[in-house]
Amino acid sequence: MREAFGATFIGPEGYLNTAAYGLPPKATVDALERVHRGWAAGTVAGPDFDADIAAGRAAFATLAGVPVRSVAMGSSVAALLGPVASALPHGSRVLVPEGEFTSVSFPFAAHDGRGVTVTEVPLERLPELAADHDVVAVSTVQSADGAQVDLAALRAATEGSETLVILDATQQLGWLRLDLAWADVVVSSSYKWLLAPTGIAWASYAERMVERLVPHHANRYAGGAPWQTTYGLPLRLTDDARRFDISPSWFPVVGAATSLAWMATLDLAAVTAHNLDLAGRARAALDLPPLDSAIVSIPIEHAATRLQDAGLRASVRQGAARIAFHLYNDEEDLDSVVDALRA
């Protein structure tokens, strides 16, 4: 057991792989166990999950700094970007950074048959080239190495224009607060830094997006009152982003609501400082260039094997070992990394 920021975590010792998936607080594990026991006993019903859906939506809005009415619930980032890609006019020009996570780029590249083009450029050039494109899609924190896009420059370059700005905050939300409300679309999965199960993701669609998107997955939840829109026509949709809700994965949404609601109460500046302190000290000890990110890319020969041999959990991305420091990591984890890679 490890205590961190007022929560208990069951087994984070040596776990440095939050950028792949985060570890749940014990309260989330307990909530999931309760609902699974209810399933086994046959005592759960669909309406039992409505409060969790509402709590998860509200917590995401708080963490992303967006209005609750702009938030839609989905199953993945790619699924939430699919309607956005489908709504683009034929021949639209989309700009993404080189090496972008494919959940961001593939939904647009899949429309090449109707003339949609996707151009890759170095991350640092995104703001200067944004105005020449119809859409800019980018992860606020890059998955492979933790680099951040210059959001202030991107906002200045696109403000007042017709260029749509789409931000994937999956590698940001939960450890770093950034101003995102100005973007046309903000998406995030819940299973990384937000410490929830897979199967639940969120999107904030600005008003001009809500007006142009087609709710391809319209279902009873898209009506806002799912137990009154279960049967029969006419089509009955909400006038806000809930019209894009999917029918939820019941059990994951319980975990998402528990983890996100807790994280929304935290002093995120303190979480950021904690994570950046550990990551910065790791970079300094390993003679890596400084970077204000909780994700550390380690291009040291055999680094991944040496970390694994030391009992540490990490990933390999773009040929380098990747570690990530989150709120449940501590000095022992930092020392273990340095010892493993300096041995």
Side-chain angles (χ1 to χ4, degrees), residues 95-217:
L95 184 69
V96 301
E98 293 174 344
E100 179 58 81
F101 199 77
T102 52
S103 291
V104 176
S105 56
F106 275 16
F108 301 98
H111 287 266
D112 63 337
R114 54 190 195 87
V116 174
T117 59
V118 181
T119 301
E120 295 180 293
V121 298
L123 181 67
E124 62 273 14
R125 295 200 63 200
L126 217 67
E128 70 175 274
L129 299 174
D132 297 329
H133 294 78
D134 302 300
V135 179
V136 177
V138 59
S139 296
T140 55
V141 176
Q142 291 291 295
S143 171
D145 60 6
Q148 295 182 42
V149 64
D150 187 340
L151 286 178
L154 181 59
R155 181 177 184 177
T158 57
E159 201 161 29
S161 73
E162 292 300 312
T163 301
L164 299 177
V165 177
I166 298 165
L167 304 178
D168 178 5
T170 297
Q171 295 288 4
Q172 169 204 332
L173 293 184
W175 77 269
L176 179 64
R177 189 178 300 282
L178 295 171
D179 177 12
L180 304 180
W182 57 274
D184 294 288
V185 179
V186 179
V187 292
S188 179
S189 292
S190 298
Y191 69 94
K192 296 182 185 286
W193 304 86
L194 295 175
L195 313 182
T198 58
I200 299 295
W202 309 91
S204 171
Y205 298 127
E207 284 297 327
R208 71 171 177 172
M209 295 305 303
V210 171
E211 293 168 358
R212 70 176 71 180
L213 298 184
V214 175
H216 293 294
H217 306 295

Side-chain angles (χ1 to χ4, degrees), residues 50-332:
D50 290 354
D52 294 298
I53 295 168
R57 192 190 313 273
F60 173 80
T62 297
L63 289 161
V66 297
V68 173
R69 65 176 283 108
S70 76
V71 177
M73 174 185 58
S75 59
S76 69
V77 163
L80 289 164
L81 290 182
V84 178
S86 296
L88 296 182
H90 285 55
S92 292
R93 300 157 300 162
V94 181
L95 184 69
V96 301
E98 293 174 344
E100 179 58 81
F101 199 77
T102 52
S103 291
V104 176
S105 56
F106 275 16
F108 301 98
H111 287 266
D112 63 337
R114 54 190 195 87
V116 174
T117 59
V118 181
T119 301
E120 295 180 293
V121 298
L123 181 67
E124 62 273 14
R125 295 200 63 200
L126 217 67
E128 70 175 274
L129 299 174
D132 297 329
H133 294 78
D134 302 300
V135 179
V136 177
V138 59
S139 296
T140 55
V141 176
Q142 291 291 295
S143 171
D145 60 6
Q148 295 182 42
V149 64
D150 187 340
L151 286 178
L154 181 59
R155 181 177 184 177
T158 57
E159 201 161 29
S161 73
E162 292 300 312
T163 301
L164 299 177
V165 177
I166 298 165
L167 304 178
D168 178 5
T170 297
Q171 295 288 4
Q172 169 204 332
L173 293 184
W175 77 269
L176 179 64
R177 189 178 300 282
L178 295 171
D179 177 12
L180 304 180
W182 57 274
D184 294 288
V185 179
V186 179
V187 292
S188 179
S189 292
S190 298
Y191 69 94
K192 296 182 185 286
W193 304 86
L194 295 175
L195 313 182
T198 58
I200 299 295
W202 309 91
S204 171
Y205 298 127
E207 284 297 327
R208 71 171 177 172
M209 295 305 303
V210 171
E211 293 168 358
R212 70 176 71 180
L213 298 184
V214 175
H216 293 294
H217 306 295
N219 63 91
R220 62 185 175 185
Y221 282 88
W227 314 111
Q228 299 172 26
T229 51
T230 299
Y231 298 107
L233 292 172
L235 180 67
R236 304 175 309 275
L237 301 178
T238 65
D239 61 358
D240 59 18
R242 288 177 299 164
R243 71 173 68 181
F244 306 108
D245 277 10
I246 66 161
S247 185
S249 298
W250 284 349
F251 305 145
V253 84
V254 171
T258 306
S259 287
L260 269 67
W262 170 66
M263 298 206 74
T265 69
L266 298 181
D267 178 355
L268 202 60
V271 176
T272 301
H274 171 84
N275 294 2
L276 290 183
D277 175 63
L278 293 173
R281 288 161 62 191
R283 287 190 183 89
L286 299 173
D287 296 321
L288 298 174
L291 182 69
D292 286 334
S293 181
I295 297 174
V296 182
S297 179
I298 308 173
I300 296 174
E301 188 175 8
H302 306 306
T305 300
R306 291 159 71 180
L307 291 170
Q308 183 177 359
D309 290 346
L312 304 176
R313 294 295 303 275
S315 297
V316 176
R317 296 292 186 271
Q318 293 185 335
R322 183 190 69 180
I323 61 175
F325 290 95
H326 203 9
L327 49 77
Y328 40 61
N329 293 116
D330 61 15
E331 299 271 350
E332 292 183 11

